[in-house]
Amino acid sequence: MSVLKILVAGRSGQVARSLAEAAEGRDDVKLVCLGRPDLDIADRASVDAALAREKPDVLINAAAYTAVDQAEQDREAAYAGNETGPRHLAEASAAQGIPIIHISTDYVFNGEGERPYVESDPTDPLGVYGASKLAGEMAVADANPEHLILRTAWVYGAYGKNFLKTMLRVADGRDELSVVADQSGAPTSSHDIAEALLKLAPKMKDGAAFGTYHMAASGEGVWADFTQAIFEASAEAGGPTASVTRIPSSDYPTPAKRPTYSVLNSSALEEAFGVRLPDWREPVPGIVRRVLQETD
């Protein structure tokens, strides 16, 4: 059996850690996750050296600047992580004949749509974070023709900081929480993303249908729906819970404006690669139980 070597740019983020977990114990994949100082995507020489040293079959970029609100005041850092870094990875991988998978976001759209976004819909980011991610998409597509750009949304999981873990923490000691109920999307498990990436990576060496695709959970809901699903699962597991008061976004102002409608149509990915993520509600109970166990 041939072994596919995957180099992951990024080591500590949700997707990178979920990838490392998903690949553990598999005999058909060798996965190496590198972050600074071993791989600094802002430094082209560091990228060149890491690729030459590791000689991967496929490169996955799971590194990104993800502080949506902070990006409004830290434009330079956002573009360094989301445009310059991906450009370095794409240029270096192209030079060494390595296909690249790059993870992007629903924030490239303005959220004014009324049906799930398809890949050909016009992009129009609302803030610095979305604009920097869109610039990264363009940089990757321009630098390496053998690319998959995968837009996902509302990522959460057992690792790192995310909405699910925040809700469980805040509910511990609170009877009621106010949660935004006028922003629609599909919470997407980092663990489901990782499993999908491990299915897609081998296809990159088999003449994949390169391009930009959406890869988010099926279905849709608002943040308050997600919160209620979290608390229902937590209650069943004996964890913290609270009643949810639904509020408009105007009651919870943030430095960066969020898209009102962020649902992504992922049918093109399924048609091209046979990969489909489950309904957003399915992974919630398992991840809640895991977070509660690891917190104890």
Side-chain angles (χ1 to χ4, degrees):
M1 176 187 296
S2 61
V3 177
L4 184 78
K5 184 170 184 181
I6 302 172
L7 176 61
V8 179
R11 183 165 51 199
S12 59
Q14 295 185 81
V15 172
R17 294 175 69 183
S18 297
L19 269 167
E21 177 185 283
E24 190 174 349
R26 291 181 53 155
D27 56 9
D28 60 335
V29 170
K30 180 180 180 182
L31 187 136
V32 178
C33 295
L34 294 181
R36 289 178 294 186
D38 304 295
L39 172 57
D40 181 356
I41 65 173
D43 181 351
R44 174 61 192 273
S46 174
V47 174
D48 286 333
L51 289 177
R53 181 176 65 250
E54 297 296 337
K55 297 180 173 58
D57 297 304
V58 177
L59 172 65
I60 296 178
N61 180 29
Y65 180 101
T66 58
V68 176
D69 289 322
Q70 188 175 335
E72 295 299 309
Q73 288 77 42
D74 203 357
R75 180 186 179 90
E76 184 176 345
Y79 273 84
N82 294 338
E83 179 189 26
T84 305
R87 182 183 298 279
H88 289 162
L89 292 168
E91 289 176 345
S93 58
Q96 298 187 36
I98 302 165
I100 184 172
I101 299 176
H102 174 69
I103 300 171
S104 192
T105 176
D106 57 302
Y107 276 66
V108 300
F109 298 112
N110 63 21
E112 296 177 4
E114 296 180 348
R115 49 113 179 111
Y117 284 98
V118 296
E119 291 79 357
S120 58
D121 283 329
T123 52
D124 181 25
L126 298 175
V128 172
Y129 169 71
S132 68
K133 291 295 289 185
L134 179 59
E137 288 188 8
M138 297 169 67
V140 170
D142 180 63
N144 190 339
E146 294 190 339
H147 66 265
L148 283 185
I149 295 168
L150 302 173
R151 295 173 180 152
T152 191
W154 294 23
V155 179
Y156 74 99
Y159 295 116
K161 297 179 180 179
N162 57 62
F163 185 84
L164 179 145
K165 296 176 78 173
T166 297
M167 290 299 100
L168 290 175
R169 175 176 53 80
V170 175
D172 193 5
R174 296 271 295 273
D175 295 326
E176 179 182 347
L177 292 177
S178 297
V179 184
V180 169
D182 58 0
Q183 295 174 11
S184 297
T188 304
S189 159
S190 63
H191 308 283
D192 288 339
I193 291 172
E195 293 292 344
L197 289 171
L198 292 181
K199 292 177 182 175
L200 290 167
K203 302 177 187 294
M204 299 291 284
K205 301 297 291 184
D206 298 330
F210 298 115
T212 299
Y213 295 88
H214 292 169
M215 190 177 76
S218 306
E220 63 181 85
V222 297
W223 289 111
D225 295 332
F226 187 22
T227 305
Q228 288 185 311
I230 292 167
F231 290 160
E232 288 170 7
S234 182
E236 292 180 4
T241 186
S243 63
V244 177
T245 299
R246 294 170 173 253
I247 62 170
S249 302
S250 57
D251 285 359
Y252 189 74
T254 56
K257 185 178 180 181
R258 267 64 173 171
T260 300
Y261 189 81
S262 291
V263 183
L264 301 178
N265 183 330
S266 302
S267 60
L269 185 76
E270 183 177 14
E271 292 170 6
F273 298 100
V275 171
R276 178 182 175 84
L277 273 57
D279 184 87
W280 70 265
R281 294 179 182 273
E282 289 185 23
V284 174
I287 295 175
V288 166
R289 288 193 299 270
R290 179 170 168 180
V291 170
L292 293 175
Q293 290 168 358
E294 293 177 355
T295 303
D296 289 343

